[in-house]
Amino acid sequence: MKKIIGVFTAVVAVAGLSACGGDDGGSGGVDRDALIKMINQDGDMTDEMAGCIADATIESLSDDDMAKIMAGGDPSAEGEAAFMEAMQPCLELGS
């Protein structure tokens, strides 16, 4: 659970990056490479796992949810549930 909270915190942080522009491999204005670096900033997961989580983030959170996060709020219940579901296969990569 601690890892999931850390990943979600990284998503919140990278949402701020999307507001600053830059699109080095991202989708919807989110820089995928920067997201991977933030998710794995302590280096405790594989590149495959960090990439999987980045992709799950980009694919599962709507523009509205990203806007809410950027404003300091929380994503919708649906967005959070979609993120958690999309991220589950990624957590298995780290086992």
Side-chain angles (χ1 to χ4, degrees):
M1 186 64 168
K2 187 176 179 183
K3 174 74 74 182
I4 292 172
I5 292 169
V7 169
F8 201 72
T9 301
V11 170
V12 170
V14 86
L17 287 178
S18 68
C20 299
D23 193 9
D24 301 329
S27 171
V30 176
D31 184 334
R32 182 181 184 272
D33 296 334
L35 180 56
I36 290 170
K37 285 178 80 171
M38 292 187 84
I39 289 170
N40 198 21
Q41 65 186 345
D42 57 3
D44 68 344
M45 66 179 74
T46 66
D47 289 341
E48 181 183 20
M49 183 178 180
C52 180
I53 293 171
D55 291 339
T57 301
I58 293 166
E59 293 168 10
S60 66
L61 293 177
S62 69
D63 290 342
D64 287 342
D65 282 327
M66 291 299 277
K68 288 177 185 176
I69 292 168
M70 288 182 345
D74 295 323
S76 66
E78 295 83 12
E80 187 173 346
F83 170 73
M84 298 303 266
E85 183 176 337
M87 194 176 73
Q88 288 304 312
C90 305
L91 296 177
E92 295 172 10
L93 294 172
S95 330

